[in-house]
Amino acid sequence: MKMKPYIHKVNYYETDKMGITHHSNYVRFMEEARVDFLDQIGWSFDKLEAKGLASPVLSLDCTFKKSTKFADVIECIVRVAKLSALKLTLAYEFTCGGELVFTGTSTHCFLDLNGKPVFTEKIYPDFYGDLKRLLEE
């Protein structure tokens, strides 16, 4: 499946006193890109939650390569990096003007809405299968 990049234009309020995008915003950009990714594959947050599935963040890893500034347009490609029945790791690659500016990963577990672990491979095989296909691409 060919994924479209998530696009974010840096807002003035997202910059710091030095005029660069404050590092904390990249965690938000990762979440925005993850929401867009799930929408693109047909598994929106609303759909997952309506089916009783939550995916809280377990860990984040971030590497800043180059600064961005107000009005820069950042593109993010999200891909499935690792998958098990209980966990998903997504990889993020942000570029600006064709240059790599940020890479990161987020790892999520799968829980029901009561906070109990969910084995997606058994309980949500369609969702798991779609993620597995993306991992193998």
Side-chain angles (χ1 to χ4, degrees):
M1 171 182 228
K2 179 70 173 157
M3 302 296 296
K4 295 180 203 163
Y6 170 72
I7 308 293
H8 182 86
K9 185 174 181 181
V10 177
N11 295 294
Y12 185 77
Y13 68 84
E14 294 170 327
T15 62
D16 61 18
K17 189 174 180 178
M18 295 180 292
I20 61 174
T21 308
H22 192 271
H23 67 276
S24 65
N25 288 300
Y26 280 89
V27 173
R28 283 191 20 247
F29 301 163
M30 288 169 73
E31 181 167 345
E32 292 169 8
R34 178 168 50 102
V35 168
D36 180 69
F37 170 82
L38 290 170
D39 285 346
Q40 285 189 55
I41 67 169
W43 291 96
S44 69
F45 265 91
D46 291 342
K47 181 177 179 177
L48 290 170
E49 288 176 355
K51 289 184 172 286
L53 187 63
S55 59
V57 175
L58 293 176
S59 67
L60 296 170
D61 181 56
C62 306
T63 303
F64 300 89
K65 303 286 190 178
K66 186 176 178 188
S67 298
T68 57
K69 299 176 184 164
F70 168 64
D72 280 349
V73 175
I74 302 170
E75 293 188 11
C76 178
I77 294 293
V78 179
R79 65 177 178 76
V80 176
K82 292 182 188 173
L83 177 66
S84 74
L86 283 173
K87 290 183 188 177
L88 168 66
T89 299
L90 296 174
Y92 306 80
E93 187 173 278
F94 288 83
T95 58
C96 181
E99 291 188 69
L100 185 63
V101 296
F102 175 91
T103 60
T105 61
S106 62
T107 299
H108 309 262
C109 64
F110 297 114
L111 303 176
D112 67 18
L113 299 182
N114 294 315
K116 302 244 190 284
V118 172
F119 290 89
T120 55
E121 189 173 16
K122 291 180 181 179
I123 308 295
Y124 301 100
D126 292 343
F127 177 54
Y128 181 84
D130 287 347
L131 293 172
K132 187 170 174 72
R133 278 188 288 284
L134 289 167
L135 175 65
E136 293 168 351
E137 287 183 356

